[in-house]
Amino acid sequence: MTDSAPGQKACELLAQASRHPVASPQRNALVAEAAVWAQLEHAATMDKHAAVVVDIESALASLADSVQKLRSEVGGLTERMKLSRK
């Protein structure tokens, strides 16, 4: 199945359901199955979004570490410069 397969399957089922009379058992069954496929598509999308959030959080943590190291280095250089001026 491709990434969009659940959503595509839901659309196909709804298209099939539209060919049946309203409130017919066949239509109701197709709509119910389409709802399940749509939920699977939604869950897959949320998983992808969660993975992106984790990647962003990791990148921000790495950036914060780099900034902290740079601050320490600059602070050390500043102290050395002050001492060398004396």
Side-chain angles (χ1 to χ4, degrees):
M1 246 188 244
T2 63
D3 287 347
S4 64
Q8 185 176 354
K9 179 73 174 175
C11 290
E12 291 169 3
L13 290 167
L14 290 175
Q16 289 175 26
S18 69
R19 293 189 283 271
H20 292 278
V22 174
S24 70
Q26 296 90 351
R27 183 181 183 126
N28 291 343
L30 288 166
V31 169
E33 188 178 351
V36 171
W37 283 103
Q39 289 174 343
L40 289 172
E41 175 75 10
H42 178 72
T45 301
M46 290 298 101
D47 286 346
K48 289 177 191 171
H49 288 212
V52 168
V53 168
V54 168
D55 288 346
I56 291 171
E57 287 174 338
S58 176
L60 288 173
S62 177
L63 178 61
D65 286 345
S66 296
V67 167
Q68 186 60 39
K69 287 177 185 175
L70 185 57
R71 282 184 177 156
S72 295
E73 289 175 16
V74 168
L77 288 173
T78 303
E79 282 300 313
R80 279 186 251 148
M81 287 176 66
K82 286 179 185 176
L83 292 174
S84 69
R85 288 183 188 158
K86 289 182 179 181

